[in-house]
Amino acid sequence: MSELQQEVQRLAAKAQADFNDRAGGKLDFSEESLRVVEDMLAEVAMYQDDLPPEAAEGLVTRFGCYILEVGRQMFGGTYSWLEERNQPVLVVGDPQSHTALGTWDKVRGRISVDTGDNIPFFFEGFAERVRASSGGRPALYI
């Protein structure tokens, strides 16, 4: 297991440990749990002006890694570091037609009151692309 995978999994587990009680025990790495994540991020967005930048980034990394790990547990794949966005991405599929998922920018947008950054909707688009992938061009969901 790569260091990056270990770190993503560690942060995802930290999100689960830190917020599962608040989520009513529903942070189980299922696609359905992303609705709970969306609700929690919407709540954070109501208080984002009072949130110190380091606390906001902590939420971005933990919830972002949680979403990545939902994808990896559903579809497999490997983690890679996307330098130009300074964040990990999950890469699913072969090198010529893979689908990659980056989540930190979406989480950052969601806690900044951008309801267009709806996490379940975003993830559903990624999941549909992975399920339908039968070759073709690589795609990046970010």
Side-chain angles (χ1 to χ4, degrees):
M1 181 183 309
S2 74
E3 283 184 43
L4 181 57
Q5 182 168 336
Q6 288 175 4
E7 184 63 4
V8 170
Q9 288 178 324
R10 183 188 73 76
L11 288 167
K14 184 156 178 43
Q16 184 185 39
D18 291 349
F19 303 111
N20 205 29
D21 284 346
R22 178 91 171 128
K26 295 180 181 175
L27 293 181
D28 59 2
F29 294 99
S30 66
E31 189 170 1
E32 295 79 30
S33 73
L34 297 179
R35 295 190 193 293
V36 176
V37 169
E38 171 66 20
D39 291 344
M40 293 176 80
L41 294 175
E43 185 177 338
V44 169
M46 292 188 302
Y47 303 100
Q48 61 99 13
D49 288 338
D50 301 324
L51 197 61
E54 61 278 358
E57 268 316 290
L59 292 170
V60 166
T61 59
R62 284 178 286 169
F63 278 117
C65 287
Y66 178 87
I67 299 163
L68 288 173
E69 193 56 17
V70 168
R72 191 192 66 77
Q73 289 186 23
M74 287 179 64
F75 301 112
T78 58
Y79 291 114
S80 186
W81 190 257
L82 186 59
E83 291 291 336
E84 57 269 16
R85 296 297 255 244
N86 196 32
Q87 65 179 284
V89 293
L90 174 65
V91 181
V92 179
D94 65 65
Q96 288 74 33
S97 63
H98 66 269
T99 304
L101 175 68
T103 57
W104 289 10
D105 289 344
K106 283 294 178 191
V107 173
R108 194 173 287 115
R110 187 62 191 96
I111 65 175
S112 297
V113 195
D114 187 348
T115 57
D117 283 325
N118 181 280
I119 301 303
F121 180 79
F122 168 67
F123 189 87
E124 184 180 322
F126 162 77
E128 285 178 9
R129 172 65 158 72
V130 170
R131 288 182 186 113
S133 185
S134 58
R137 303 181 69 182
L140 174 61
Y141 285 78
I142 206 157

